[in-house]
Amino acid sequence: MIRRLTTFLAAAALAVTGTLIVARPALAAPEDYHLSWFEAAEGDVTGTYRNVIGQIEATDIGTDTLSEITNSSDLVIQPSCSDPLPPNATPLCFSAGDNSAEEWIPQGITTTNDATGGSASKILVSWYDGCSTGTQGTDWGRPNQGCQDGPNTDEAADKGVRISVYTPHVGYRNVLLVEPFFNSSDNPSFHATHMHAGGIALYGNFLYVADTRYGMRVFDTRKIFDLNEQLNPTNRPTNISDKTKVGRHSNVWYSHGYRWVWPAVGEWRRDGTGHATDCQGVGFPMKFSYLSVDRAARYLLAGEYCPSDRSQPGRLARWQLGSQAATSPASGIANGWAVDAFNLPIDHIQGGASVGGSTVYLNASDGASNYGKLWRYQVSGTSLTSGAYVSAARGCEDLSFDTWDQRIYSVSEYHDRRAIYYTRPSDF
């Protein structure tokens, strides 16, 4: 039975007074769902990510916003997709190289509608580097599997996570996510961000990225470094040709070959120290496998993927976005406490989206050979009812609901079968 762990009346308070009042809910296992804001730079308990970013900016490295990085003439796009989607789905395609690559694997999706409520003028997709030769593989719940493909001889083995910033029918650019820190010489630097990035969500000026074991990392859409070698001063040179290095080396800035790098500004970390990859249910840490924004109810949703051989099919939790969440990352989650949480009715959930607080969409994958299923449920008291589904792509992943055009966006992950695509509520 679907179980709701708390009752939350803030929506009514907001409607009556215009002021959001958040009470601490009595969750059965609060450490499963409570999040705390964290922004200390690696190796420095007094410094913050923003301190490092400020010092990098002081070196005159160019800084762009999310909207600026697609205003160039060399965007890449492919006019058709190689794998048929379900008949109800409308595709947007990647380049031939990104569609066929086995090293980079797409996972999360969000749009600028999540951020502002306006049109989905830009779509963001997260990709993790499947070529992991270190210990990072265990951080997102799978054993270290080495390299699925690549890297090429001139590339690093594990470049972390990148974001495709996609303007529909125009093109897209890939941007590398990084984590800023002070190096052993107390100089600002950054390194690749190693996580599965199974879900992403824009809200206001910030991008939330699911970090499976720990919670969510946060990135500021106004703070993206442009390492174009022609734009930066000779006393702070950049090198986007060498794909083997990232960060500051001998006073030169590297980026694994990407023109843009996007530094984290903080993290929303879950409480507790238990291992969040075992799908053991209430009383154990929840994985953060996917993310989405419910603009109508002002929720941030996260859920966990669990295969069919686990003791239960996974959980989903929702947090109220703070009244200042659009402009202050530390105000993103109101009090850090989840509004509610549910046991999921089915397993293999790769994405979830809440609409108006009362409707929940769930994306269930079914391997590389079969179409997935996009389920729709209604929240009714303590249950999800009226389950219905339409076909989803093979390898369907994260979800994002576009309130402007009434579209349900997703992305498919398998190489040679990749596309951004959308369906509509009217398809059910």
Side-chain angles (χ1 to χ4, degrees):
M1 183 180 77
I2 307 303
R3 180 179 178 186
R4 193 165 189 167
L5 300 180
T6 187
T7 300
F8 186 77
L9 301 177
L14 180 61
V16 173
T17 67
T19 301
L20 183 64
I21 302 173
V22 179
R24 171 175 167 172
L27 294 180
E31 66 276 7
D32 290 359
Y33 308 105
H34 183 257
L35 301 170
S36 298
W37 178 247
F38 178 86
E39 58 180 12
E42 180 181 316
D44 189 333
V45 295
T46 60
T48 66
Y49 292 150
R50 288 184 176 272
N51 294 152
V52 185
I53 292 169
Q55 289 198 26
I56 295 173
E57 288 180 305
T59 68
D60 295 325
I61 298 297
T63 303
D64 286 338
T65 64
L66 184 62
S67 61
E68 289 173 327
I69 65 175
T70 51
N71 293 334
S72 59
S73 59
D74 56 346
L75 304 177
V76 291
I77 195 167
Q78 182 175 328
S80 62
C81 303
S82 58
D83 185 52
L85 291 168
N88 55 290
T90 301
L92 297 166
C93 308
F94 295 107
S95 70
D98 284 340
N99 185 33
S100 63
E102 294 189 48
E103 182 181 356
W104 285 107
I105 304 168
Q107 294 290 296
I109 191 165
T110 186
T111 77
T112 48
N113 173 259
D114 289 331
T116 66
S119 66
S121 59
K122 295 190 187 301
I123 302 169
L124 275 63
V125 174
S126 63
W127 308 62
Y128 75 94
D129 189 340
C131 183
S132 175
T133 56
T135 60
Q136 295 90 344
T138 59
D139 285 348
W140 37 264
R142 298 180 183 177
N144 183 5
Q145 298 177 353
C147 294
Q148 299 180 52
D149 178 39
N152 295 327
T153 56
D154 65 342
E155 294 180 329
D158 187 352
K159 294 175 282 295
V161 175
R162 70 182 189 186
I163 300 291
S164 291
V165 182
Y166 196 113
T167 304
H169 311 298
V170 176
Y172 67 98
R173 298 303 297 257
N174 292 321
V175 180
L176 187 72
L177 295 188
V178 296
E179 184 174 350
F181 71 104
F182 290 109
N183 62 23
S184 58
S185 301
D186 203 31
N187 289 320
S189 187
F190 49 76
H191 59 71
T193 301
H194 297 292
M195 54 185 170
H196 191 54
I200 57 176
L202 280 170
Y203 191 75
N205 292 322
F206 304 100
L207 175 70
Y208 295 79
V209 181
D211 190 352
T212 310
R213 286 184 63 184
Y214 302 105
M216 297 171 286
R217 301 199 193 192
V218 184
F219 299 78
D220 191 328
T221 62
R222 301 161 298 180
K223 300 289 185 182
I224 303 174
F225 290 125
D226 186 351
L227 271 64
N228 186 327
E229 297 168 13
Q230 306 303 314
L231 300 180
N232 293 299
T234 56
N235 64 324
R236 290 292 186 270
T238 58
N239 185 326
I240 59 175
S241 301
D242 187 340
K243 300 178 182 180
T244 66
K245 297 185 182 72
V246 65
R248 181 174 178 161
H249 299 270
S250 300
N251 210 33
V252 177
W253 295 91
Y254 297 85
S255 55
H256 286 322
Y258 288 89
R259 173 175 170 179
W260 285 278
V261 296
W262 195 347
V265 295
E267 306 170 27
W268 279 97
R269 286 188 179 179
R270 64 169 184 79
D271 292 350
T273 57
H275 200 277
T277 58
D278 296 329
C279 295
Q280 293 178 279
V282 173
F284 295 89
M286 188 188 84
K287 294 195 298 184
F288 283 70
S289 301
Y290 46 87
L291 297 177
S292 65
V293 168
D294 183 337
R295 286 201 59 84
R298 217 169 73 202
Y299 286 157
L300 184 64
L301 174 151
E304 62 184 347
Y305 167 87
C306 295
S308 56
D309 61 352
R310 296 299 190 268
S311 59
Q312 55 87 43
R315 290 168 289 171
L316 178 151
R318 301 187 294 193
W319 291 261
Q320 195 79 51
L321 285 158
S323 60
Q324 303 300 314
T327 56
S328 171
S331 302
I333 307 299
N335 288 353
W337 294 100
V339 171
D340 52 21
F342 304 89
N343 288 331
L344 293 171
I346 49 178
D347 51 37
H348 282 86
I349 300 303
Q350 303 274 18
S354 169
V355 182
S358 60
T359 302
V360 172
Y361 292 94
L362 301 173
N363 232 4
S365 62
D366 191 18
S369 300
N370 302 313
Y371 286 135
K373 293 178 179 179
L374 174 61
W375 288 87
R376 184 184 65 190
Y377 291 92
Q378 299 302 317
V379 177
S380 177
T382 60
S383 300
L384 295 182
T385 64
S386 306
Y389 72 85
V390 295
S391 294
R394 299 173 179 89
C396 58
E397 287 291 327
D398 199 27
L399 290 174
S400 176
F401 190 90
D402 175 4
T403 59
W404 183 269
D405 287 317
Q406 294 293 296
R407 295 174 176 177
I408 309 166
Y409 280 97
S410 188
V411 64
S412 50
E413 70 170 336
Y414 294 118
H415 71 93
D416 292 326
R417 295 181 172 184
R418 289 187 182 130
I420 297 168
Y421 68 97
Y422 63 86
T423 52
R424 296 180 184 274
S426 57
D427 292 329
F428 285 84

